[in-house]
Amino acid sequence: MNVIISASELVSALAGENPPVVLDVRWQLSVAKAAGEPPFDGRAAYASGHVPGAVYVDLDRELAGTSGAGGRHPLPDLAEFGAAMRRAGVSPARPVVVYDGGQGWAAARAWWLLHWTGHPDVRVLDGGLTAWRGELSVDVPVPTEGDFEPCPGTAGLLDADAAAALARSGVLFDARAGERYRGEVEPIDRVGGHIPGAVSAPTTDNVGADGRFLPAEDLRDRFKSLGASDGTEVGVYCGSGVSGAHEVLALAVAGIPAALYVGSWSEWSSDPSRPVAVGPDPR
């Protein structure tokens, strides 16, 4: 599955006969900041310089619904998501390349949504904007309206009950940092720990120091060592369905299909009736 693209490949693609629509999805997790420190502003970062022709997409407003019982980044309203993608110029007949500031999480969320809703050719710029070696532009393009209509797949998406069941019948990866999985710290959600049966697999271990994905063979070996053997059904969750999308992307690089629990720990932990496991043991 060709799900990532290098910066040099993107340069070539942009010069080709059917250049991709490029989406800039710069975003950072909003957590408590020191007094007076402003929150990250993705739109301002975009305005200061972006890949020429790229269109800015707001993760919180266009790739997620309103935070609530369904988690911090639940699925967006699909009609609104489709309208946002069409405004950005997205059509099924044109490839799409998505990038963020380099972490890859936000770009992977856009990739996952477009892939899950039926776009046939979406890739993530490996290493994000930090890997781009060309000039940056401050011009804001006005793309031709696209004609993409979201058509959600019947697979690839988990709810809380399906995630719990998969942790028993297959393998459910927890993409958060190990200390959050073990319940040693929890800076955001009501309680720390993990879904019983889930396996700790921090998404940060899927990339090198430069933020680019490890080779496919290395990723395949990693996931197989964690239980994703041939024929095993695989799912992923994280805090709110963003870094988990990055792990689904890493699994795709490795050739392993996986579903995403979008509500993730922010939804699971909000219900006191759901069980919570702590410590290094999945159970």
Side-chain angles (χ1 to χ4, degrees), residues 102 122 134 204 243 275:
V122 190
T204 50
S243 67

Side-chain angles (χ1 to χ4, degrees), residues 9 63 84 106 115 155 179 185 213 281:
E9 289 171 332
L63 303 181
H115 176 71
E179 58 268 24
V185 299
F213 282 106
D281 192 316

Side-chain angles (χ1 to χ4, degrees), residues 51-204:
V51 172
V55 178
Y56 178 71
V57 173
D58 189 313
L59 185 149
D60 289 318
R61 292 178 173 83
E62 296 173 318
L63 303 181
T66 303
S67 176
R72 285 190 303 280
H73 293 104
L75 286 174
D77 177 271
L78 290 183
E80 294 178 5
F81 169 67
M85 293 299 98
R86 291 190 292 274
R87 287 194 301 271
V90 174
S91 296
R94 287 186 66 186
V96 177
V97 173
V98 190
Y99 73 87
D100 57 26
Q103 187 179 42
W105 296 2
R109 172 71 176 225
W111 166 83
W112 181 84
L113 269 171
L114 282 165
H115 176 71
W116 177 65
T117 54
H119 197 286
D121 189 355
V122 190
R123 288 180 284 177
V124 169
L125 176 59
D126 196 15
L129 190 62
T130 58
W132 179 256
R133 294 294 177 262
E135 294 185 358
L136 297 179
S137 173
V138 295
D139 296 332
V140 178
V142 181
T144 301
E145 182 89 1
D147 60 2
F148 176 70
E149 293 287 348
C151 184
T154 57
L157 177 67
L158 300 171
D159 61 14
D161 290 340
L166 184 57
R168 297 187 297 269
S169 64
V171 61
L172 180 66
F173 289 134
D174 184 318
R176 299 172 300 158
E179 58 268 24
R180 291 184 69 191
Y181 169 88
R182 295 186 296 271
E184 296 166 358
V185 299
E186 182 42 65
I188 307 171
D189 293 312
R190 184 186 67 84
V191 64
H194 58 270
I195 296 173
V199 176
S200 180
T203 199
T204 50

